[in-house]
Amino acid sequence: MEAQIWVEGKIVGKTPMLLVLAPGKYQIEMRGARGQTGKRSVDLLPHETRELAVKLEQLYPGRVTTNR
């Protein structure tokens, strides 16, 4: 599934993506096409390579039921 990737509140592209960032602490967010979102913080050291997986959760329920 394709998702948008946001770093520090700015969109940087779509998954899958190889992203090169300077050392530091970042807030990473992914947003799916059906309203799913996921966030992670990452703290990168100099010359560090890291693979990041973010679990997407539904923002709203996919189905609504009522009791009568």
Side-chain angles (χ1 to χ4, degrees), residues 14-63:
K14 294 185 177 184
T15 60
M17 174 183 238
L18 173 63
L19 186 61
V20 178
L21 298 170
K25 189 169 187 169
Y26 298 94
Q27 182 70 24
I28 309 294
E29 181 178 355
M30 292 190 188
R31 298 178 187 174
R34 296 183 180 162
Q36 317 92 314
T37 61
K39 292 183 182 179
R40 291 260 317 259
S41 282
V42 63
D43 196 359
L44 298 174
L45 300 173
H47 308 289
E48 181 178 18
T49 300
R50 184 154 334 158
E51 185 173 319
L52 187 65
V54 177
K55 183 176 180 179
L56 299 180
E57 302 283 342
Q58 281 296 119
L59 186 58
Y60 301 105
R63 180 173 52 157

